[in-house]
Amino acid sequence: MTDDDLMALALEEARLATAHQDVPVGAVVAVGGAVIARRHNEREHLGDPTAHAELLAMRDAAVALGTSRLDGAVLVTTLEPCPMCSGAALLARVARVVFGADDPKAGAMGSLYNLGSDPRLNHEITVTAWVRAPECAALLSEFFATRR
């Protein structure tokens, strides 16, 4: 599957988050081109501040693989990962992160911080930014426009 194909799945997941008033962010984890996990934000739904789409997808991927190391995995998310999710991706040894919309307020893969390529850390992540960015950003803008 291409990055565009994987982002389409992440966008499908993101749309599911609005059913329970969560911010529409979706994430997919793929290994060798096969999707092994896909999730959306569930912070409000679960009452859990750590229930970001990326973390939930990485947890499911770890279960599917039977290991905490996601070597060779691609994490695709509709919004640039925050420091928590970027840190988890580093600890899981994710090979690559693909994101749609950037997050200038909390993005940690290039916008505010760049944890994926910090040479002081023991792992680096290749980042592909802005895949289907207008569609990802529009989904977020529409969600927040209804709450203002």
Side-chain angles (χ1 to χ4, degrees), residues 30-100:
V31 176
V35 174
I36 60 169
R38 51 187 285 178
R39 293 292 289 269
H40 56 272
N41 270 359
E42 295 188 37
R43 289 178 38 168
E44 299 302 321
H45 179 65
L46 298 176
D48 178 353
T50 69
H52 288 201
E54 301 91 334
L55 280 182
L56 296 172
M58 286 188 283
R59 287 177 188 157
D60 289 353
V63 169
L65 294 173
T67 179
S68 64
R69 295 187 66 128
L70 303 180
D71 295 317
V74 177
L75 171 64
V76 179
T77 180
T78 57
L79 180 65
E80 179 182 358
C82 71
M84 175 179 67
C85 294
S86 296
L90 283 162
L91 292 172
R93 303 296 194 267
V94 167
R96 191 162 70 98
V97 168
V98 176
F99 70 83

Side-chain angles (χ1 to χ4, degrees), residues 1-13 27-28 30 33 35 38 76 78 96 98 131-132 135:
M1 297 184 88
T2 67
D3 290 351
D4 193 73
D5 295 334
L6 293 169
M7 187 61 75
L9 297 176
L11 280 160
E12 286 177 12
E13 280 294 321
V28 172
V35 174
R38 51 187 285 178
V76 179
T78 57
R96 191 162 70 98
V98 176
V131 174
R132 296 180 76 156
E135 192 175 351

